Amino acid sequence: MADFHEFYPLRRHNTFGFDARARFAVHVRSEADLVEALADPRANGLPLVVLGGGSNVVLTRDLDALVLLMEIQGYQVEDADDAWLVTAGAGENWNALVNRTIADSMPGLENLALIPGTAGAAPIQNIGAYGVELRDRFEGVRAYDRHAGVFVWLDQRACGFGYRDSLFKQAGAGRYIITAVTLRLPKAWQPVLSYGELARELTGKFALDAATVRDAVVAIRTRKLPDPAQIGNAGSFFKNPLVSAAQRDTLLQANSDLVSYPQPDGSYKLAAGWLIDRCGFKGVNDGPVGVYGKQALVLVHHGGGTGAMLLALANRIADSVEARFGVRIEPEPVVL
Ligand SMILES: Cc1cc2nc3c(=O)[nH]c(=O)nc-3n(C[C@H](O)[C@H](O)[C@H](O)COP(=O)(O)OP(=O)(O)OC[C@H]3O[C@@H](n4cnc5c(N)ncnc54)[C@H](O)[C@@H]3O)c2cc1C
């Protein structure tokens, strides 16, 4: 029986730690809970908000909505000859899942270690880190289709993954509620060390295994990123903007130390952290919100602030970057 909570506090359900209340919130621990919550007359006419770990959202106000707190557990492994197919309930903690697959001798997720949040949210923005994206290890999701009123299977193609992007942020926004994710972990494993900092961290290490790569990723991330348990944040706040080769060349002429990464289609990704740093925002605080001192891409909440204050700072930063470099940087988290 799905339990409805009224005026439910969400501070512990978002890693920025902003205070906001949900008109109604329900702990969804099974697909039956989900169907029941959606059919409840109290949900009638209210917008729906799906929350996993709240590590990629900015709560700007109380939500006059039904908030689904996704807590469906589950872990199953299928042997598919050349790969392991691992299915996790949407509410499984992502990092615990990474560690469990490695402990169970199924490498492949090590570069994605220590990303906060749930398995069910991983496809939403096609999480990525250190040269690997979810889509590189992805088979499909089981989701409730709110338009058709049925559960569906969406494969890699249907999910339309892009850089921090997917069907779930585009044409399918608000339509699907993911209840389980299936990952494809090839048995023929190769470490992915394309990311310079990770390769450097592993210099001198031989006979690399997934646990060693995972430990290196964890070491780098721990040095660079604030722990949300200590200081409110949502990881990288801005996406790295994509520009044409011509635009990147023009910027490079004026800024010889510009940080950019070539993309397979000939365009370039600019390091948003570098752009923000150059505009002088690194370590700058605006009352209770600010820019992390060790990484300009991360916005932080020191306590007592609001999501609206954070967004105002984010806009100021984006305006400043645009004025100086002619490039608009876009927020990565979902603003609610
Ligand atoms: C310190 C830190 C470091 C981070 N590093 C990275 C990184 O390296 N790479 C990266 O890609 N991200 C990173 N993130 C962002 C974040 O961890 C990921 O986006 C994560 O996948 C969000 O999971 P969540 O469960 O917290 O999602 P939430 O924040 O709860 O939700 C995010 C979005 O997904 C939707 N959603 C959640 N669950 C479901 C579901 N079951 N069905 C349908 N929609 C759903 C929500 O409605 C919302 O729109 C970082 C965040 C922090 C705080």
Side-chain angles (χ1 to χ4, degrees):
M1 173 85 184
D3 234 1
F4 269 63
H5 302 274
E6 202 167 359
F7 303 115
Y8 185 82
L10 295 172
R11 190 154 69 88
R12 291 194 301 116
H13 293 275
N14 73 103
T15 58
F16 268 120
F18 289 128
D19 267 323
R21 277 169 194 271
R23 178 72 172 85
F24 290 109
V26 176
H27 295 275
V28 175
R29 301 191 176 103
S30 65
E31 290 188 346
D33 281 355
L34 174 63
V35 171
E36 200 182 304
L38 295 174
D40 194 289
R42 283 168 292 187
N44 254 352
L46 279 184
L48 198 70
V49 172
V50 184
L51 265 191
S55 64
N56 211 27
V57 293
V58 185
L59 298 179
T60 56
R61 55 187 158 76
D62 288 341
L63 302 178
D64 192 18
L66 169 64
V67 175
L68 302 177
L69 303 167
M70 299 304 290
E71 296 171 7
I72 300 174
Q73 303 296 297
Y75 176 84
Q76 283 125 32
V77 179
E78 190 190 320
D79 186 339
D81 292 337
D82 60 335
W84 302 107
L85 297 181
V86 178
T87 299
E92 289 285 343
N93 175 273
W94 174 260
N95 186 49
L97 177 64
V98 171
N99 288 331
R100 185 164 178 184
T101 52
I102 293 172
D104 289 350
S105 305
M106 296 179 294
L109 298 179
E110 53 284 347
N111 294 52
L112 301 175
L114 217 61
I115 298 180
T118 55
I124 306 297
Q125 72 156 3
N126 177 29
I127 58 168
Y130 301 98
V132 174
E133 289 183 330
L134 182 81
R135 67 171 152 192
D136 304 323
R137 305 283 182 265
F138 184 81
E139 182 73 5
V141 295
R142 182 172 156 85
Y144 185 75
D145 178 347
R146 294 175 63 208
H147 289 189
V150 291
F151 284 93
V152 293
W153 168 258
L154 299 169
D155 63 10
Q156 164 91 250
R157 227 182 121 99
C159 288
F161 292 123
Y163 165 60
R164 299 295 180 272
D165 201 14
S166 73
L167 164 79
F168 310 105
K169 293 181 84 173
Q170 302 295 335
R175 175 167 175 181
Y176 299 103
I177 301 167
I178 295 172
T179 55
V181 176
T182 301
L183 304 161
R184 168 172 281 270
L185 306 178
K187 290 181 184 172
W189 176 78
Q190 286 283 342
V192 178
L193 305 176
S194 54
Y195 196 89
E197 199 177 356
L198 180 58
R200 281 194 295 282
E201 187 78 18
L202 289 161
T203 307
K205 292 231 161 62
F206 299 100
L208 283 182
D209 61 7
T212 309
V213 176
R214 184 262 326 269
D215 293 347
V217 168
V218 168
I220 299 171
R221 293 183 69 100
T222 309
R223 282 201 300 269
K224 276 199 344 198
L225 292 168
D227 175 359
Q230 312 288 332
I231 175 163
N233 78 94
S236 303
F237 193 86
F238 294 99
K239 293 193 263 194
N240 290 322
L242 285 166
V243 297
S244 67
Q247 200 176 356
R248 179 253 188 186
D249 288 348
T250 309
L251 285 169
L252 196 58
Q253 273 163 24
N255 309 274
S256 57
D257 55 344
L258 179 81
V259 181
S260 64
Y261 312 99
Q263 301 302 297
D265 65 357
S267 66
Y268 280 83
K269 217 187 253 179
L270 304 181
W274 185 92
L275 300 171
I276 297 166
D277 194 3
R278 273 315 130 100
C279 291
F281 281 100
K282 198 177 192 172
V284 164
N285 285 315
D286 189 358
V289 296
V291 181
Y292 191 50
K294 290 192 212 165
Q295 168 59 271
L297 203 48
V298 177
L299 298 194
V300 292
H301 172 221
H302 303 288
T306 64
M309 286 176 184
L310 189 94
L311 285 189
L313 173 63
N315 274 328
R316 208 147 60 76
I317 294 171
D319 288 347
S320 178
V321 166
E322 189 171 14
R324 177 150 176 192
F325 298 105
V327 177
R328 186 80 194 170
I329 50 173
E330 304 288 345
E332 184 184 295
V334 177
V335 176
L336 294 170

